[in-house]
Amino acid sequence: MAPRPPNPIRLVILWVGLGLARLGLIDRERARRTTDLAWPRIVTGLARMSKSAVDVAMVGIAVGSAAIAGVGFAGPFWGLAFTVGGGVAGGTIALVSQRYGAGRFDELGQAIRSSVLLVLLVSVPLAAFFATFSTELISIISNDPEVIELGAAYLAVVAFGVPFAGLNLIGSRTFVGMDDAWTPMVIRAGGAVANIGINAVLIFVVGMGVVGAAIGTVLANVLVTAAFGTLLVTGRFPGVPDMDVTVEPFGTYADLAVCRSLVEIGVPVFGRNLVWTIAEIPLLSIVDMFGTDVASAYVIARRVWALMNTPGWGFSLAASSLVGQELGANDERTAERYGREIVRFSVAVYAVSAAIVFVFAEPITLAFVDDPGELSVPVAVTLVQVACFAILVRGIAGAAEGALNAAGDTSWPFYGQFLGMFGGAIPLAYLGATTPLGLYGLYLAFIAETAIPAAINYYRFATGKWKVISRSYRPSAASADD
């Protein structure tokens, strides 16, 4: 395989890691290995979240603030695709990484096929529901007729991409669990770039507005699913390394033991993701109480926040893969060291990205609007700057969550997410909308949303109980059950 060209994101992350190593905070070799797994996933996240941000910017420029709010209000329902896929994929990466670490390559295919089955069983009916009741669903959040019309038009079309988005998460987690974050980066980032290109044509050339943005999203997800499927079955796909292990597509899908393990591990992950997705609906309803300008400002800030959160994609999955592999090899001490050091590494990288965004908050915000004088701009700038502080502790929450996921100990991240949203963010936002607290309620909601899960996830990791739980999911345990 030809050497891969140097990547500036990898160099920055490695520079941070080696700096921490010189301070004695992490091991130098573990910093390199973590970087090699994390940076491709971060690039993937940047590509996908940039696509999402560009979607909002495009419809905002082409249609206006109501389109920004409408697409943003459709977000929680589209997010259910990632809730479903992410729940199953949480089990996928745990099973794949542990079997890969133990050298049980013959068992990988079954974990993947069963994951595909579970995703389709849930996501196909969900897609049909969204397409049928798009107007009613957006009406739950807003009573603005224009926002409802635009949001429903977007949701009715993007619903068809829900099953493909779930399958793409299975494909991505499979490769990361096998110590390969490069392949999903190339495939999913390529899909994001294609998405932006398709959207630009459909929105500005064809004049399809929010519907054009939705069609682009669906087509891009179909292309990514086809790429993952081709590579997993044939072992080859242009632009990525050949696979040594392939998956038999006509093997057993409904393996009860594997499905049971996926469900046991994945249900809390699904619950955690569902908490955020469901909580977003009342949260956006509360934001809508501030008016369309604040609502569009909030949607802009969430898109920027999502971009800043992309290091968590890499470090969380790196923790899941590396911790899982060490657990599969029955080396609990090294697994714990990886977990602790990745938390430190993650926080340091988040600090770098947050500092950059804080300084350039205003020009970043202006990229989303056609008129710099819009009322939403000052509010959006402040929300983005507050998000820079809130994002710092996300490094703790995400990396600790990744380590717990590797062990199959997925309940506590669910508790953290639930309390962060329903015990912190939503009550604070509501106080802001209904009392003189005002916009400060939204600022505090951002902080609570990340700080509470960070405290709970790291506490659970520090107890070490996750190592005991992991023993029932390791390949040796599966062989004993057989």
Side-chain angles (χ1 to χ4, degrees), residues 391-422:
I391 205 72
L392 291 176
V393 289
R394 178 62 192 155
I396 300 173
E401 174 188 305
L404 296 176
N405 285 347
D409 185 10
T410 50
S411 295
W412 279 66
F414 164 72
Y415 304 148
Q417 188 69 70
F418 184 89
L419 290 174
M421 294 306 298
F422 289 100

Side-chain angles (χ1 to χ4, degrees), residues 259-346:
C259 288
R260 183 170 60 249
S261 293
L262 289 169
V263 170
E264 287 175 355
I265 297 171
V267 165
V269 177
F270 170 79
R272 184 190 70 235
N273 294 340
L274 186 64
V275 163
W276 161 243
T277 304
I278 296 299
E280 209 176 3
I281 295 173
L283 185 58
L284 288 173
S285 297
I286 293 168
V287 171
D288 190 58
M289 295 168 64
F290 287 91
T292 301
D293 286 329
V294 173
S296 63
Y298 184 81
V299 170
I300 291 170
R302 293 302 313 190
R303 291 300 187 270
V304 177
W305 187 92
L307 282 167
M308 287 192 290
N309 191 39
T310 53
W313 293 39
F315 287 106
S316 180
L317 289 180
S320 290
S321 181
L322 296 172
V323 171
Q325 289 177 44
E326 297 301 332
L327 291 173
N330 294 314
D331 188 349
E332 294 182 353
R333 179 175 297 181
T334 302
E336 182 172 359
R337 288 173 178 166
Y338 262 119
R340 290 188 184 279
E341 292 181 6
I342 291 175
V343 168
R344 298 168 189 164
F345 198 169
S346 176

Side-chain angles (χ1 to χ4, degrees), residues 146-164:
E146 186 179 9
V147 171
I148 293 172
E149 180 184 358
L150 293 169
Y154 179 85
L155 180 59
V157 176
V158 84
F160 291 96
V162 167
F164 298 101

Side-chain angles (χ1 to χ4, degrees), residues 198-215:
I198 295 169
N199 283 7
V201 172
L202 295 179
I203 293 172
F204 295 114
V205 179
V206 183
M208 297 182 71
V210 295
V211 173
I215 291 173

Side-chain angles (χ1 to χ4, degrees), residues 221-475:
N221 276 277
V222 171
L223 292 173
V224 171
T225 301
F228 274 131
T230 301
L231 181 57
L232 286 170
V233 172
T234 68
R236 293 180 176 83
F237 192 79
V240 298
D242 291 348
M243 288 184 63
D244 295 326
V245 180
T246 57
V247 177
E248 172 54 56
F250 300 109
T252 303
Y253 282 77
D255 184 290
L256 295 182
V258 173
C259 288
R260 183 170 60 249
S261 293
L262 289 169
V263 170
E264 287 175 355
I265 297 171
V267 165
V269 177
F270 170 79
R272 184 190 70 235
N273 294 340
L274 186 64
V275 163
W276 161 243
T277 304
I278 296 299
E280 209 176 3
I281 295 173
L283 185 58
L284 288 173
S285 297
I286 293 168
V287 171
D288 190 58
M289 295 168 64
F290 287 91
T292 301
D293 286 329
V294 173
S296 63
Y298 184 81
V299 170
I300 291 170
R302 293 302 313 190
R303 291 300 187 270
V304 177
W305 187 92
L307 282 167
M308 287 192 290
N309 191 39
T310 53
W313 293 39
F315 287 106
S316 180
L317 289 180
S320 290
S321 181
L322 296 172
V323 171
Q325 289 177 44
E326 297 301 332
L327 291 173
N330 294 314
D331 188 349
E332 294 182 353
R333 179 175 297 181
T334 302
E336 182 172 359
R337 288 173 178 166
Y338 262 119
R340 290 188 184 279
E341 292 181 6
I342 291 175
V343 168
R344 298 168 189 164
F345 198 169
S346 176
V347 171
V349 172
Y350 266 108
V352 172
S353 67
I356 294 171
V357 173
F358 186 89
V359 172
F360 296 101
E362 184 170 355
I364 289 171
T365 301
L366 290 174
F368 288 84
V369 296
D370 187 39
D371 179 9
E374 286 190 23
L375 295 175
S376 61
V377 171
V379 177
V381 170
T382 304
L383 281 168
V384 167
Q385 290 176 329
V386 171
C388 291
F389 290 99
I391 205 72
L392 291 176
V393 289
R394 178 62 192 155
I396 300 173
E401 174 188 305
L404 296 176
N405 285 347
D409 185 10
T410 50
S411 295
W412 279 66
F414 164 72
Y415 304 148
Q417 188 69 70
F418 184 89
L419 290 174
M421 294 306 298
F422 289 100
I426 290 175
L428 288 167
Y430 183 75
L431 287 174
T434 58
T435 72
L437 188 62
L439 288 173
Y440 287 98
L442 290 183
Y443 306 155
L444 292 172
F446 258 119
I447 302 293
E449 178 185 330
T450 55
I452 293 173
I456 291 175
N457 290 357
Y458 193 77
Y459 167 78
R460 180 60 172 181
F461 175 80
T463 65
K465 293 180 180 178
W466 52 276
K467 290 180 284 188
V468 177
I469 291 174
S470 74
R471 294 168 193 165
S472 63
Y473 295 112
R474 296 181 197 174

